[in-house]
Amino acid sequence: MTKHSVVKRIGSIVMAMALVLSLGMPSLTVRAAEPVKEKSIYDLPADFSGKTVILHTNDIHGAVGRYAYIASVRENLAGRGAEVILADAGDFGQGTAYVSTTKGLDAISCMNAAGYDIVTPGNHEFDYGVPQLKANLATAKFQTVCASVLDGNGNSLFQQHAIITKGGVKIGFYGLETPETTTKAKPEYVRAYKFLEGKDLYNCSQAQVDALKAEGADIIVCIAHLGVDGESTAKGCSSVDVFKNTKGIDFMLDGHSHTVMSASSNNLPIQSAGTKLQDIGVVVIDNATKKIEDNYLLSLEGLQKEVIADAVTTAIIKRVDAEYDQAFGKSEVELNGAKAPGNRTEETNMGDLVTDALLWTVTQNASNITVDKDHIVAITNGGGIRAAIHAGSVTKKDINTVLPFGNTVAVAYLTGAELLEALEASTYNAPDALGGYPQTAGIKFTLDTRKSFAKGPNYPESTYAKPSSINRVTIESINGKPFSKDDTYAVVTNNFCTDGGDTYYVFRNSSAQFDTGIVMDEAVMDYVKTELHGVISADKYAQPRGDQTILK
């Protein structure tokens, strides 16, 4: 990357972050480890006649105020003579109160207003269950394609592929979904469906390419919610793995790992636009040659809002803000909402706050707990913590943005040996980031990442492996008292984990469990208002409390 492009890159990132903060959204984490070619609207040619342009987004995660910018780019390029197709690679229906309050439906309204043509669902589209997802998509003015999710009869859950013709060019699109959905969405909601992985996923991809070619497609584009992160790569289900094992893909529009890239690290034609509209992906096709001639990311620099889309999104924002933007407390500190380094790699002050709240919620009425109070601990998956809380007033929207999934506080009874297994499984790839990384309360433990994870067979109905032995985790104490593998502990967590979500199959298989029905964000708000008297203090939460020791 040239010095000029680096300066532009920094400028556009700063602008994107400023726009997010102005909407009350969490700050962005830019992952630009892959090659990045970026332009601004000022760099584009004045005349796009004879071109078809695919604009694409991914992992918008409820940043609804950004859809008006996407719509403006569509209109801008159409005004320059381009034929425009707008696509999305999933995870649009979850992430902020602006979409979660209607279980994803308002995301569809925003996408309709922005003028989307074709999408593939992400794993978080399944967070409200398939009937809700189907009902949401029934209101869509765009097509939904996904070939790798099967129902109980082995039939595709969605339309598998489609051809969109622009400027005489037949562009074939098909969609692929990450098999991690089995543990990245609430398992109860997806257990009846099969998410293809490994060779089955590759064969599915090849079948779509072959079918589209047989139907006369000139260019074949895979809309993939697969990603290129460590979890996807470790399971052989990344977009790179699929591309390498499929003949005939001309381009991949990727999502899931929130990566900012205009090509994969080995220069494959795979592009991804980060998250919350850090950038807009652009693929330029020459209609005469029917070939892709360019691709890049378009920064937000110089973009204007398109009026119709802005009216729709503004109405949604105002409605939600009226209910959720009321302060109920204050924080004296910045609470860490980052992924890595952060909630998916190590203990954080945010993780301490959330697990303290879970523990407090259950111990307020411990009469229904069958173990002594000193045997009650809390664990939540770091991937469920989605945003920071800034110093200053704290609103319901802040807490809902941190914990947007509507999960409830639940309890699982585990032996000490099972608790060790859960910690070992949920840190298997540390120090790399993992959604299942445990944020904890009441457990003091050491994680030795210098030792290897002893990989056993995958847990049933899971993409994660059971440890064949405990090599890396040592529990020093439980609530200040000696730990015993033979004792029974009540583990306060969330119903996503008790259902086997992320790496926590051992919770699902526990001897007993129950759900309090208390939503996690409400539990945290009640804890702050009641136990902390409305103040998240620097004395208690300025730094992580030091329950976890990581040896590297």
Side-chain angles (χ1 to χ4, degrees):
M1 189 180 293
T2 65
K3 180 179 179 181
H4 174 68
S5 62
V6 169
V7 171
K8 284 181 58 184
R9 180 72 181 153
I10 293 171
S12 65
I13 290 169
V14 170
M15 181 178 179
M17 292 179 73
L19 283 166
V20 170
L21 292 174
S22 71
L23 290 172
M25 303 295 181
S27 59
L28 303 177
T29 299
V30 177
R31 301 174 60 178
E34 311 298 347
V36 177
K37 180 169 61 173
E38 185 181 62
K39 299 181 181 182
S40 77
I41 198 75
Y42 306 115
D43 299 322
L44 303 188
D47 188 3
F48 271 89
S49 299
K51 310 295 181 185
T52 294
V53 177
I54 302 172
L55 299 177
H56 65 95
T57 57
N58 57 276
D59 300 281
I60 290 183
H61 282 296
V64 298
R66 321 306 282 282
Y67 283 111
Y69 294 101
I70 301 168
S72 74
V73 176
R74 182 188 182 106
E75 294 303 309
N76 186 301
L77 295 186
R80 301 184 192 210
E83 300 274 5
V84 183
I85 299 171
L86 182 52
D88 186 89
D91 276 8
F92 44 80
Q94 180 63 278
T96 69
Y98 298 121
V99 292
S100 64
T101 53
T102 56
K103 298 184 178 180
L105 181 60
D106 276 342
I108 305 298
S109 299
C110 293
M111 296 170 80
N112 285 340
Y116 277 84
D117 297 289
I118 192 162
V119 309
T120 199
N123 52 291
H124 285 299
E125 269 65 76
F126 292 85
D127 284 343
Y128 312 109
V130 169
Q132 181 67 52
L133 173 56
K134 289 282 194 177
N136 290 350
L137 291 174
T139 70
K141 297 178 182 178
F142 49 81
Q143 297 184 76
T144 301
V145 290
C146 183
S148 61
V149 184
L150 309 181
D151 64 17
N153 297 317
N155 299 316
S156 182
L157 190 60
F158 304 96
Q159 177 181 336
Q160 295 180 317
H161 61 258
I163 291 178
I164 298 177
T165 302
K166 294 284 187 179
V169 183
K170 293 183 177 180
I171 305 168
F173 293 90
Y174 70 99
L176 297 177
E177 173 67 278
T178 175
E180 295 175 35
T181 305
T182 56
T183 50
K184 296 295 187 187
K186 194 170 187 296
E188 175 188 351
Y189 291 156
V190 296
R191 197 163 286 136
Y193 306 98
K194 184 174 183 179
F195 294 79
L196 300 179
E197 58 182 301
K199 290 184 178 179
D200 290 338
L201 182 61
Y202 307 156
N203 291 339
C204 170
S205 178
Q206 189 63 63
Q208 298 310 305
V209 172
D210 294 345
L212 285 166
K213 285 186 174 180
E215 293 172 29
D218 300 306
I219 293 174
I220 295 177
V221 177
C222 176
I223 312 178
H225 193 81
L226 296 173
V228 294
D229 60 349
E231 288 186 70
S232 304
T233 302
K235 298 174 177 63
C237 295
S238 71
S239 55
V240 171
D241 293 313
V242 170
F243 189 94
K244 288 182 175 179
N245 286 278
T246 307
K247 294 180 180 179
I249 300 174
D250 292 298
F251 207 89
M252 291 186 81
L253 316 178
D254 196 26
H256 187 50
S257 61
H258 297 188
T259 309
V260 179
M261 65 180 185
S262 52
S264 71
S265 55
N266 45 1
N267 208 35
L268 297 176
I270 305 171
Q271 188 161 270
S272 182
T275 183
K276 294 187 181 292
L277 199 67
Q278 288 167 259
D279 294 278
I280 301 171
V282 180
V283 181
V284 181
I285 298 168
D286 181 72
N287 295 341
T289 62
K290 300 184 179 181
K291 301 291 184 184
I292 294 172
E293 67 175 24
D294 201 4
N295 71 280
Y296 47 86
L297 299 178
L298 185 68
S299 75
L300 301 185
E301 181 184 356
L303 299 187
Q304 305 297 316
K305 289 185 175 182
E306 195 274 327
V307 176
I308 295 176
D310 190 37
V312 172
T313 58
T314 298
I316 292 169
I317 290 169
K318 285 182 177 179
R319 189 194 74 237
V320 174
D321 283 352
E323 178 183 355
Y324 279 73
D325 230 3
Q326 304 301 315
F328 67 89
K330 68 176 183 178
S331 179
E332 296 178 344
V333 300
E334 179 92 4
L335 293 163
N336 188 349
K339 290 183 177 182
N343 292 285
R344 301 189 185 205
T345 61
E346 60 197 33
E347 180 185 1
T348 66
N349 60 351
M350 178 73 83
D352 289 347
L353 174 70
V354 172
T355 52
D356 285 350
L358 298 182
L359 195 59
W360 176 84
T361 298
V362 169
T363 55
Q364 291 312 289
N365 183 21
S367 60
N368 56 350
I369 300 293
T370 59
V371 298
D372 292 337
K373 196 169 182 178
D374 61 12
H375 276 53
I376 307 174
V377 299
I379 297 176
T380 197
N381 54 314
I385 296 173
R386 309 296 286 196
I389 292 178
H390 304 297
S393 62
V394 180
T395 67
K396 182 178 180 180
K397 186 171 69 178
D398 292 328
I399 303 298
N400 183 267
T401 304
V402 172
L403 302 167
F405 300 118
N407 294 324
T408 52
V409 180
V411 177
Y413 288 95
L414 304 180
T415 65
E418 290 171 329
L419 180 58
L420 262 176
E421 180 185 331
L423 294 176
E424 185 85 8
S426 61
T427 57
Y428 80 92
N429 70 335
D432 292 339
L434 181 68
Y437 188 88
Q439 297 295 327
T440 62
I443 309 171
K444 195 172 184 65
F445 71 91
T446 296
L447 168 62
D448 191 345
T449 65
R450 300 169 301 180
K451 297 180 180 178
S452 61
F453 175 75
K455 183 178 180 181
N458 277 13
Y459 288 113
E461 301 177 2
S462 174
T463 58
Y464 293 102
K466 174 184 174 71
S468 59
S469 61
I470 307 300
N471 291 355
R472 292 154 56 94
V473 174
T474 305
I475 298 178
E476 277 80 47
S477 63
I478 299 290
N479 293 312
K481 295 188 176 182
F483 164 72
S484 170
K485 292 183 179 180
D486 298 321
D487 285 2
T488 297
Y489 297 95
V491 180
V492 187
T493 183
N494 61 71
N495 64 339
F496 170 73
C497 290
T498 56
D499 201 30
D502 267 335
T503 51
Y504 292 98
Y505 187 85
V506 68
F507 286 11
R508 177 184 167 191
N509 206 35
S510 59
S511 59
Q513 56 178 260
F514 67 90
D515 193 325
T516 68
I518 300 170
V519 183
M520 283 181 73
D521 62 340
E522 294 176 357
V524 173
M525 286 188 282
D526 192 22
Y527 172 71
V528 172
K529 288 187 290 187
T530 306
E531 180 67 11
L532 301 184
H533 307 291
V535 180
I536 303 169
S537 69
D539 287 345
K540 191 172 180 67
Y541 291 109
Q543 300 294 331
R545 62 173 155 258
D547 284 352
Q548 302 181 17
T549 300
I550 301 177
L551 304 178
K552 299 182 181 180

